[in-house]
Structure formats: C-alpha cells, structure tokens
Amino acid sequence: MISKLLESLYTKVFINIVVESLQTVVYVEVCSNKRVEQSVHKSFETIAMNSKMHEFISAYCKVSPFFYISVLDKSSLQGAVPTCIANEMARYCDINSSEYKCYSKEWAFYTSEYDLEATKHDYRSIGIDFVFSPFALLANFFKDKIDNTLSIFVLLESNSLSFTIFENSKLLYAEHLSMKINKDSEDVLIDTHLYAEDEIVDGIDLEEITIEDDSSGFDDFTNIEDLDDGSSIDEFSDNVETQELNRVDESTSDSGFNEDYQRYTLIQRALSTFYKDPKYKSQFIETIYIADGVGASGDLKNYLEEEIFLSVFVRKIDLGGALCDMAKAEI
C-alpha cells in the first residue's frame, strides 16, 4: 500500500518501441498524476538497438525511477488460435515451441519462445517490461465491432499484417502474414546515425491491450496482473472510418503500389484458406475492418472492393501510442 502511494507521487515514463521494415520508432510519454506532460516520437534508421537509440531511451529512463519499456512482438512465428484448450491448440500450431496467453477464455494468441528470448536479448542493455501481441492490440482496437459482427479484422504493419475473422467476439480464424520488403540498403540494419526527421510532440489516446488467463482483460507475454474489461475503449464510428478513408492520398509511389497489392494478395489467400480448410467452420464474409499503422494508399481498398467484393472500413492507428496505452493498463 505504501509503495503504491509513493509510486503515485512520482512521474511515470512509458517508452514504446515499434520495429518497422527499415527503421525503429520510439514513442515516449511522460505522465504525472495520470496526465500526459510530454509525448515524443523519434525514428531511428536501424532495426536493432544502436548507440543513438540507447542514448535517447536512457535519457528518459533517468527522468523517473518508474519507467516502463514496451515492445510490439515482431516474430514471424506468432499467431492466434480459436481455442484456449492446450490439447486443441495442437491442431493449429506447435505449442511446444511457443508461449501463449488466453483471451477471455475463448481464444489464445501465441509467439515463438525462441523469438521472445531473442527480443529480450536484443534489448538487454535497457531491459524490457512488456512484449505485446499485435493480435491482442487488434482485438482491443476493434472491440466494439468484434463483439457484434461477423467480419475480417486486419492490422497493417510495415512488414507484416495480422489477419483475423471474428463472429460476435468468437475467433474463427487468425494468421500472421509476413511481407517481402525490398531494402534499399543494408546500412539501416546496423548501428547508424539518428534519423533527424520526425520529432513530434503530441498527445495520444488509444486503447490498452493485455490478456490473461481467467481474465476478461488482456495480457502481454510477460508476468503481469489482471486488467479490467477494456470498457474505456473509444467509440468506433463508421462515419469516422469512411471520412478517414476518403482522405487517403490516391497518388502513390511504385513501392506503395506494390506493397498494397502484396497486402491484398495476402488477405485474399488467408480468406481462401478460411473458406477451404476443413479445420475451420467457414462462413461467407462481407466486411473487413483495417487498422492502418502504415498509411496505406487507396489502392488496397480498391483491390478488396473490386476483386473480393468486400465492404472496407479503415481507421488509422498509432502503434507506439497503442503500446503506451497497453503499458498504462498494466501499471
């Protein structure tokens, strides 16, 4: 009780790391009395910890003894399954080499034990408190839609997408799909200079995600406590979705065109698997909701509407801000 009281008097610092295809974005929030005093986005031209990133993060770690570092899981061997019973999970994935968490006792998300340890090793110089699943993030972000519809829900990241199908909160199908990204230079993969662009001071208010066995809330892949049921989730408006989508810049580079077409083909193949694989009780899907963390062009929407005849709704998501809200929920 005393420790909690003392902790409430201190400033808290939330450091959130999102690894993209060619860079790493670090989002920091400094909070005092549950209010955001400062927020900063910083991008680094590296996908591994380097000296500039370490210096930036360490500076914020010194602001308060209560700092928390979160990472979005980037394993290519992660996924989600429509059951929370261990002996049934084997139908969908190799749980012997995976660590998994149950979501509301209905379904589970998992990740590679090896990749999880590798992530901890990669950030050993600063330490990490939470590794969060993009499937948990997606389920929380679209909670109001997932609870009431039969639809596809997709989270777009720069080098992957998380594909799910839910019917009235029940997971029917899920798959993590990696993209083939053309890297212009290998220099971004090693220790390099700070990406000088993109220092944005801003306020973020997204949703928390964590999942835990025997809980209506969500957890990351570390040892954490129970959460609430996520009732503070922002109302998701179809009108907002449509307005945001209409504002997407229709002009796109060749690389953007190719990436959107690749995303379309991955979604198409995943949907085809759902329809054809006897493991799944397939149903005809008419709607797709997309959490766009990359700024996809309107081409993706056009492909999905014209080729698969889906009704498409897109909402922007700040992945660093979403991670931050997950960590806040944990604390």
Side-chain angles (χ1 to χ4, degrees):
M1 178 65 73
I2 295 177
S3 62
K4 287 290 184 181
L5 178 61
L6 291 174
E7 182 179 346
S8 67
L9 300 176
Y10 275 91
T11 296
K12 295 183 178 64
V13 180
F14 297 92
I15 300 164
N16 312 278
I17 301 171
V18 178
V19 179
E20 299 182 351
S21 55
L22 298 177
Q23 67 175 0
T24 298
V25 178
V26 180
Y27 173 69
V28 180
E29 274 192 14
V30 180
C31 301
S32 179
N33 295 323
K34 297 184 179 182
R35 297 183 62 181
V36 178
E37 302 294 335
Q38 181 187 15
S39 62
V40 179
H41 282 92
K42 203 78 165 180
S43 300
F44 300 86
E45 286 185 339
T46 177
I47 61 170
M49 176 65 67
N50 66 10
S51 57
K52 292 286 187 176
M53 193 192 307
H54 186 276
E55 181 182 355
F56 176 78
I57 292 174
S58 296
Y60 278 98
C61 291
K62 295 175 183 177
V63 171
S64 169
F66 296 101
F67 62 88
Y68 309 93
I69 300 176
S70 304
V71 178
L72 184 61
D73 188 13
K74 58 185 177 65
S75 173
S76 61
L77 301 176
Q78 63 177 299
V81 292
T83 180
C84 217
I85 302 173
N87 60 4
E88 292 182 1
M89 291 181 189
R91 297 179 59 201
Y92 307 97
C93 68
D94 181 9
I95 61 172
N96 293 323
S97 59
S98 302
E99 182 169 339
Y100 68 89
K101 294 289 183 180
C102 290
Y103 183 108
S104 301
K105 301 180 182 180
E106 296 294 332
W107 58 276
F109 59 86
Y110 65 89
T111 193
S112 160
E113 287 182 347
Y114 176 85
D115 289 343
L116 188 59
E117 291 304 316
T119 298
K120 295 176 182 177
H121 183 267
D122 290 344
Y123 297 100
R124 64 193 180 282
S125 61
I126 56 170
I128 54 176
D129 297 287
F130 308 111
V131 178
F132 290 104
S133 167
F135 288 95
L137 186 156
L138 181 62
N140 189 76
F141 190 67
F142 285 126
K143 187 177 188 304
D144 59 333
K145 298 297 181 185
I146 285 174
D147 285 348
N148 301 299
T149 64
L150 167 62
S151 300
I152 301 167
F153 298 88
V154 176
L155 173 67
L156 300 185
E157 298 181 61
S158 62
N159 54 4
S160 66
L161 60 87
S162 299
F163 177 100
T164 62
I165 298 174
F166 281 91
E167 181 183 23
N168 300 329
S169 76
K170 179 178 176 59
L171 179 68
L172 303 182
Y173 180 82
E175 189 174 358
H176 184 76
L177 302 161
S178 297
M179 295 178 59
K180 295 179 180 178
I181 303 297
N182 293 324
K183 297 179 175 59
D184 296 330
S185 170
E186 293 183 357
D187 293 341
V188 296
L189 304 181
I190 60 176
D191 192 356
T192 183
H193 62 282
L194 180 65
Y195 188 60
E197 205 177 334
D198 263 12
E199 180 167 337
I200 305 170
V201 178
D202 195 7
I204 302 293
D205 184 17
L206 294 174
E207 309 313 325
E208 67 268 13
I209 306 180
T210 44
I211 305 181
E212 188 174 56
D213 237 348
D214 289 330
S215 171
S216 60
F218 323 109
D219 277 358
D220 63 290
F221 289 113
T222 60
N223 294 324
I224 56 181
E225 296 179 355
D226 291 350
L227 296 180
D228 59 25
D229 60 2
S231 59
S232 63
I233 295 170
D234 291 342
E235 185 65 24
F236 189 89
S237 168
D238 286 347
N239 291 332
V240 172
E241 295 165 11
T242 303
Q243 291 168 6
E244 290 181 355
L245 189 56
N246 289 338
R247 288 196 295 267
V248 173
D249 185 0
E250 294 294 341
S251 62
T252 180
S253 65
D254 289 341
S255 62
F257 173 86
N258 292 334
E259 288 177 4
D260 275 351
Y261 185 75
Q262 186 179 168
R263 292 183 180 107
Y264 156 70
T265 58
L266 291 173
I267 291 171
Q268 182 188 48
R269 290 172 187 172
L271 183 58
S272 178
T273 300
F274 171 68
Y275 285 145
K276 295 178 181 179
D277 193 323
K279 288 198 302 286
Y280 306 101
K281 296 180 180 179
S282 63
Q283 301 182 54
F284 182 70
I285 312 294
E286 297 180 326
T287 307
I288 181 170
Y289 293 92
I290 298 175
D292 182 5
V294 297
S297 74
D299 290 320
L300 177 58
K301 175 180 181 290
N302 293 337
Y303 294 142
L304 294 170
E305 288 179 337
E306 296 172 7
E307 302 298 329
I308 316 182
F309 308 108
L310 293 170
S311 296
V312 183
F313 299 94
V314 178
R315 189 182 188 186
K316 302 291 186 182
I317 182 171
D318 183 299
L319 295 173
L323 280 182
C324 187
D325 285 325
M326 296 181 211
K328 287 179 180 178
E330 293 295 337
I331 303 308

